[in-house]
Every structure is written in C-alpha cells, then in structure tokens.
Amino acid sequence: MPGTIAVQKPARILTLSCEDRPGIVHAVSGVLYRQGCNILESAQFSDPRDGRFFMRVAFAAGERFDDAALRREFGGVAGTFRMDWDMIDAARPARVLLMVSRFGHCLNDLLFRQATGNLNIEIPAIVSNHRDFEPLAKNYGIPFHHLPVTAATKAEQEARLLEILAETEASLVVLARYMQVLSNDLCRALDGRAINIHHSFLPSFKGAKPYHQAYDRGVKLIGATAHYVTPDLDEGPIIEQDVARAEHSLAPDDLVSAGRDIEAVVLARALRLHIERRVMLAGRRTVIFR
Ligand SMILES: Nc1nc2c(c(=O)[nH]1)N[C@@H](CN(C=O)c1ccc(C(=O)N[C@@H](CCC(=O)O)C(=O)O)cc1)CN2
C-alpha cells in the first residue's frame, strides 16, 4: 500500500568473534549487501584488554536470498579473519529441555511464557529428580521424565538425561531450580548450552541455601543470577542478574518468597538473551548485546 513501510523481520542472526583489526565490519556488511540482505540490527564490541572483537547482526533476506550462497561467501570472509561464527534462522524456536527439583516457580513461569508466545521456544521435555511437577507437565501436554538420583546412581541418571537430550533434539538445557550438582563430564557435554538460575546475587552466597546465608549475613539486597553451568559450582559465566531490597524484618522464608519473582524474571530474561544470540562467551565472562 503506498506510503506504508513493510516492517522487515530478521531472517537470520549472525554472531562472530575474532581478533580485532580494521575492516571487519566493512567485510561483514559487504557480504550481506552483495547477498541482497538488509541489516536490521547490528552491535559490536572490541575488548581493549585482550583485543577480541565480538559482533551480532540481525538481517532481513532479500528477494533472491540464498542461504547456501550467503554461507559460502561469508565462509570466505570468516577464513580471512579467522572468525568463530554462527548463523541461525531467527524465526525458528529454540528447543529447550527444562530441569526442576522441588521449587516450581521458574518452571511454571517459563511454561506460561512459552504457551502465551512470550518466549520463542519449544519445550520437548521436562526432567526432574522428583515427581512434584508431573501434573503441571501433563497440564501443558509436555513429556515428563522422573529421573531420581543418588551419589551411587548419578552416572546412570546423567547418561539417561543425555539420551533424552538427543531424543528430543533439544539445543539447550535450563536448570529451573534443579538442585543437584552436575558432574564434570556432563558439564563438558553441555558446555555453553546449559543455563542455571542461582538464587543469590553471585558471587555472594553460593551453594544450596543462599537465602539463609543472606539472612545470617544481614544483607540489604538479595538477588538472583542466571549463568552458564560449569563444573565449578555457581562459577559459570553470568548472563543476567537482578536484586531486590531485603529489610531486617524479613525472615529467611520471607527472603525465599521475595526471591521467587526475581529468580523467574532473571531466568526468563537470560533465556531470551541466549535464544536471540545476544550472549557471547568471552572466557569466564560474557558480552551481552541487549
Ligand atoms: N556443575 C554444576 N552443577 C550445578 C550448578 C552449577 O553451577 N554447576 N548449579 C546448580 C544449582 N545450584 C545453585 O544454583 C545448586 C544446586 C545444588 C546444590 C547442592 O549442594 N546440592 C546437593 C543436594 C541438595 C538436595 O538434594 O537438595 C548435592 O548435590 O549434593 C548447590 C547449588 C545445579 N547444578
């Protein structure tokens, strides 16, 4: 219709990192231009400390868009600059396997966000070491896998988890208050594709009972931290954090209640940032293109 601008939606999201040097942006945008694409959103960061360059580009496809041709031409540029790069279909929902133990507020929040279209994900399965949320999974029509675990059965339990991951073709695991420590082997198998919500403002109060630690310390702020899972407990690269005030009058259980909302919001934000490829790993740190 004359006078109306067709709102272009991103067809692809390109992320890349390489050693910083002049000409990277020119080379990247040149390929996209020659392939008939239109850049809709672009962000970059040059880390002055280690000279690493990070970039995220969301672009619309032109009439004569050819994914293979784009990847071929971009591969040439990537080789020249020795880039680590990836390109995803922006519209394709990420397949996310959710894990939970006995606290269901983060699980419930993510299920509702998915069901109402607030998060562009598919949830092929829910895994838990308890049966508490089996009815909730059933309500959403999502397969529920009860995988109890003890120190003696951890290797077998984790092997079954990896089977479910493969069977469901999930690209991401979210520990939505899953309260078991994953083994080093499992963490390596899930490297960069497992996100945990920790119920404290890290690095304070690691471990299983942060609200009680916070109460005992008498802090005035409590918080939550979403991070990638690594073998070192609660040490993974941080994706998102938030805080809320903690008055002296609040008992540990009040802090637990106050923390639930922060945990759910921080985890949902972190998941959105991850699936939109707005998070880039930089060693123990992250670069976030909001
Ligand atoms: N390898 C990792 N595994 C897990 C991480 C992580 O960062 N690396 N995060 C945790 C979640 N978590 C805190 O956010 C956490 C969970 C459990 C414990 C813990 O000490 N669990 C005890 C058992 C507790 C119980 O049965 O209720 C244990 O495993 O012995 C600490 C922190 C998820 N896994």
Side-chain angles (χ1 to χ4, degrees), residues 4-19:
T4 60
I5 299 167
V7 174
Q8 289 189 304
K9 284 186 172 291
R12 296 286 183 275
I13 298 170
L14 168 67
T15 47
L16 63 96
S17 67
C18 61
E19 189 185 324

Side-chain angles (χ1 to χ4, degrees), residues 129 154 175 178-183 187 196-199 207-208 227-236:
N129 56 325
K154 182 177 273 197
L175 307 184
Y178 179 72
M179 298 307 288
Q180 291 295 313
V181 177
L182 307 187
S183 70
C187 289
N196 176 59
I197 184 67
H198 181 70
H199 36 317
H227 62 91
Y228 289 110
V229 175
T230 59
D232 306 319
L233 195 58
D234 304 328
E235 290 280 351

Side-chain angles (χ1 to χ4, degrees), residues 59-159:
F59 56 91
E63 272 111 37
R64 50 182 177 79
F65 180 69
D66 177 335
D67 186 85
L70 170 60
R71 288 175 183 277
R72 229 180 355 264
E73 183 177 357
F74 190 82
V77 166
T80 304
F81 289 88
R82 291 204 296 281
M83 291 175 182
D84 299 322
W85 67 283
D86 191 21
M87 190 153 52
I88 65 163
D89 176 342
R92 187 172 176 183
R95 288 176 69 76
V96 181
L97 190 150
L98 299 181
M99 299 186 71
V100 65
S101 288
R102 287 234 146 99
F103 296 100
H105 51 285
C106 292
L107 171 70
N108 186 58
D109 180 80
L110 293 178
L111 290 170
F112 186 79
R113 287 177 188 269
Q114 190 281 328
T116 53
N118 175 267
L119 269 177
N120 185 24
I121 62 173
E122 293 165 347
I123 303 169
I126 296 167
V127 170
S128 179
N129 56 325
H130 300 286
R131 285 190 180 280
D132 301 46
F133 299 106
E134 188 164 10
L136 180 62
K138 194 168 184 205
N139 288 348
Y140 277 94
I142 297 172
F144 181 88
H145 300 267
H146 176 223
L147 301 185
V149 60
T150 64
T153 64
K154 182 177 273 197
E156 180 192 342
Q157 187 250 19
E158 292 188 346

Side-chain angles (χ1 to χ4, degrees), residues 10-88:
R12 296 286 183 275
I13 298 170
L14 168 67
T15 47
L16 63 96
S17 67
C18 61
E19 189 185 324
D20 192 16
R21 60 183 240 198
I24 302 171
V25 175
H26 178 269
V28 170
S29 56
V31 172
L32 296 175
Y33 175 72
R34 287 189 295 277
Q35 291 290 328
C37 302
N38 182 30
I39 293 176
L40 301 176
E41 186 184 338
S42 180
Q44 63 190 72
F45 172 67
S46 302
D47 191 332
R49 281 171 296 286
D50 64 5
R52 194 77 186 162
F53 177 85
F54 301 86
M55 189 175 187
R56 175 188 184 272
V57 186
F59 56 91
E63 272 111 37
R64 50 182 177 79
F65 180 69
D66 177 335
D67 186 85
L70 170 60
R71 288 175 183 277
R72 229 180 355 264
E73 183 177 357
F74 190 82
V77 166
T80 304
F81 289 88
R82 291 204 296 281
M83 291 175 182
D84 299 322
W85 67 283
D86 191 21
M87 190 153 52
I88 65 163

